[in-house]
């Protein structure tokens, strides 16, 4: 059996990916400093899979600690790097924290991988690198121009992609897959793992589910005067379990493909854009729960509309986002009910 190192593996996307990897027969070692996640996630993963991933509570910025993990698990054949700070607003207030965490952890991981001759890296990037694509680039594919980042967080994703390319140029043994996620939502169908936002959610769906649960009085829709059919912003919401499966495909490909580019980039989205108002409607239809909302002003820095051209991932990775949105939204609601202990 092959072992994969998953940094940030107790986080939202990391935990779902760990489940899919283990269900496909991989062993997983998670490293996470639990700065934005709970150790209890390991129990959830174990309940779903029937095996517990190995776990080290360490910071990926710490070379000695990370090196120790590679020493202990000599069968690691690849790493998926999720560990990162990810709050856009916070990154504007604390840029140095974001640069230190998000750049330092990747650099350290690459150094330790090189030392231990582990040659396969999957990196968790974001469609934020495209900014607002012009009309000719919608849906956006991997060849669309990278635009200046709107936040330090977004900038760390861009710089990390460059670091990977530079290191791959210098070290011909290194294979890397850069996955650019659109908007991940939903939770595992078991409701044993899901997203655990800290404090007031910044992202749309956790805010929707908390409003439906009565924790928030009403959802604020940030703007209905955009140049879109209903005036609200459009995104490509991708089910986190579908997204997790793409990581397994990426690892499989790096371990097995006879021929591949040294650094490959894939957009991971559904290929369909949904507006904020449409999403609220779909949620209400899927769950029967009312979501009170009001329209407020635009949120600074928001992109008007973006959705993916996922054809490359469909064809090259053999992966497709296939879960219907109603099922995805129902999974998010099931998870919210589970963590709030409501029926
Ligand atoms: N929105 C609301 N009300 C809310 C929260 C969000 O109307 O309370 C709207 C936003 O204005 C936006 C849409 O819902 O139009 C989605 O917002 P999210 O914050 O959920 O997602 P974003 O697309 O803004 O941001 C996400 C990730 C970032 C990443 C970015 C890349 O959270 O990490 O995609 O585009 F950088």
């Amino acid at each position: 059996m092959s072992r994969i190192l998953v940094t940030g593996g107790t986080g939202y996307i990391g935990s779902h990916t760990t489940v899919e990897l283990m269900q496909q027969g991989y062993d997983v070692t998670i490293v996470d400093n639990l700065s934005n996640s709970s150790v209890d996630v390991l129990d959830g993963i174990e309940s779903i899979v029937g095996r517990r991933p190995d776990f080290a509570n360490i910071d990926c910025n710490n070379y000695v600690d990370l090196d120790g993990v590679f020493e202990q698990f000599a069968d690691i054949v690849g790493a998926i790097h999720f560990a990162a700070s990810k709050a856009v607003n916070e990154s504007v207030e604390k840029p140095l924290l974001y640069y230190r965490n998000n750049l330092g952890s990747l650099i350290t991981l690459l150094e330790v991988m090189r030392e231990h001759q582990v040659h396969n890296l999957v990196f968790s990037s974001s469609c934020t690198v495209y900014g607002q694509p012009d009309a000719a680039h919608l849906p956006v594919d991997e060849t669309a121009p990278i635009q200046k980042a709107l936040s330090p967080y977004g900038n760390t994703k861009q710089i990390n992609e460059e670091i990977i390319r530079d290191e791959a140029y210098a070290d011909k043994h290194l294979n890397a897959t850069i996955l650019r996620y659109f908007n991940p939502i939903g939770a595992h169908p078991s409701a044993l793992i899901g997203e655990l936002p800290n404090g007031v959610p910044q992202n749309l769906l956790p805010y929707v589910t908390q409003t439906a649960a009565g924790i928030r009085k009403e959802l604020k829709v940030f703007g209905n005067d955009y140049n879109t059919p209903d005036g609200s912003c459009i995104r490509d919401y991708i089910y986190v379990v579908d997204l997790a499966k793409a990581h397994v495909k990426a690892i499989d490909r790096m371990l097995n493909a006879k021929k591949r580019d040294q650094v490959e980039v894939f957009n991971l989205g559904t290929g369909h854009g949904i507006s904020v108002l449409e999403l609220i409607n779909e949620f209400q239809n899927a769950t029967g729960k009312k979501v009170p909302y009001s329209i407020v002003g635009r949120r600074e820095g928001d992109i008007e509309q973006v959705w993916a051209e996922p054809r490359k991932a469909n064809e090259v990775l053999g992966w497709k986002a296939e879960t219907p949105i109603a099922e995805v939204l129902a999974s998010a609601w099931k998870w919210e009910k589970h963590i709030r202990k409501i029926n």
Side-chain angles (χ1 to χ4, degrees):
M1 241 190 293
S2 307
R3 179 176 296 273
I4 305 299
L5 181 84
V6 178
T7 76
T10 51
Y12 176 43
I13 308 174
S15 57
H16 288 83
T17 299
T18 297
V19 164
E20 298 302 320
L21 283 167
M22 293 179 77
Q23 287 182 334
Q24 292 310 310
Y26 288 100
D27 286 329
V28 172
T29 297
I30 290 177
V31 298
D32 203 306
N33 66 0
L34 303 177
S35 61
N36 193 25
S37 60
S38 162
V39 74
D40 299 342
V41 170
L42 299 173
D43 297 334
I45 296 171
E46 186 175 3
S47 303
I48 297 169
V49 180
R51 281 189 293 144
R52 197 171 180 85
D54 292 287
F55 173 65
N57 181 351
I58 63 158
D59 192 318
C60 290
N61 268 294
N62 187 316
Y63 185 97
V64 174
D65 286 353
L66 197 57
D67 185 63
V69 171
F70 279 76
E71 285 285 335
Q72 186 185 346
F73 298 99
D75 54 344
I76 292 173
V77 294
I80 308 183
H81 185 48
F82 293 105
S85 303
K86 63 165 189 179
V88 176
N89 288 344
E90 187 188 40
S91 81
V92 176
E93 286 154 23
K94 301 177 184 166
L96 301 182
L97 177 79
Y98 273 67
Y99 286 114
R100 183 181 295 281
N101 279 352
N102 294 5
L103 304 188
S105 60
L106 175 69
I107 293 167
T108 309
L109 176 61
L110 285 168
E111 286 171 344
V112 176
M113 285 174 66
R114 201 197 251 244
E115 178 66 27
H116 290 268
Q117 295 176 31
V118 172
H119 301 308
N120 300 300
L121 174 73
V122 176
F123 177 67
S124 171
S125 190
S126 164
C127 69
T128 193
V129 301
Y130 300 119
Q132 174 62 66
D134 56 31
H137 286 104
L138 273 176
V140 67
D141 71 18
E142 294 81 355
T143 64
I146 302 296
Q147 299 202 48
K148 186 173 163 37
L150 294 173
S151 69
Y153 160 77
N155 206 20
T156 65
K157 291 294 176 194
Q158 295 193 6
I159 298 170
N160 275 340
E161 289 197 8
E162 288 173 12
I163 290 172
I164 290 168
R165 285 181 199 287
D166 289 346
E167 176 62 4
Y169 183 80
D171 175 4
K172 295 295 176 220
H173 297 298
L174 178 66
N175 292 311
T177 305
I178 292 169
L179 301 178
R180 293 181 180 150
Y181 312 150
F182 283 67
N183 288 56
I185 59 167
H188 194 268
S190 64
L192 292 168
I193 54 171
E195 187 171 12
L196 276 173
N198 230 339
V200 182
Q202 305 296 313
N203 293 115
L204 179 61
L205 197 60
Y207 210 107
V208 166
T209 55
Q210 289 195 8
T211 307
I215 297 161
R216 312 277 159 207
K217 208 167 116 254
E218 64 170 14
L219 170 74
K220 294 183 180 62
V221 173
F222 298 136
N224 68 346
D225 58 351
Y226 285 98
N227 186 21
T228 60
D230 66 20
S232 64
C233 291
I234 294 177
R235 296 287 184 276
D236 186 335
Y237 295 95
I238 161 101
Y239 185 34
V240 67
V241 174
D242 288 338
L243 188 66
K245 289 179 177 162
H247 294 73
V248 182
K249 295 275 189 187
I251 287 285
D252 287 346
R253 178 170 167 80
M254 283 197 291
L255 296 179
N256 302 320
K258 295 214 166 50
K259 203 170 167 311
R260 64 182 292 285
D261 293 339
Q262 206 190 343
V263 179
E264 293 186 327
V265 181
F266 297 100
N267 280 351
L268 299 181
T270 66
H272 303 288
I274 302 186
S275 75
V276 176
L277 294 172
E278 283 170 339
L279 189 103
I280 297 169
N281 240 327
E282 294 272 7
F283 180 87
Q284 296 184 145
N285 291 339
T287 64
K289 292 299 293 184
K290 195 105 196 84
V291 180
Y293 69 86
S294 63
I295 310 284
V296 300
R298 294 181 176 194
R299 182 171 71 176
E300 200 189 326
D302 256 344
I303 303 278
E304 179 176 274
Q305 45 187 320
V306 64
W307 65 97
E309 170 53 81
R311 191 178 303 156
K312 187 177 172 199
N314 298 164
E315 289 172 1
V316 179
L317 281 184
W319 166 90
K320 201 169 187 318
E322 52 202 11
T323 312
I325 187 77
E327 205 176 300
V328 178
L329 296 170
S331 78
W333 178 232
K334 186 177 173 189
W335 167 246
E336 186 70 50
K337 286 194 295 185
H338 171 76
I339 53 179
R340 306 295 164 194
K341 300 185 170 53
I342 51 180
N343 292 313

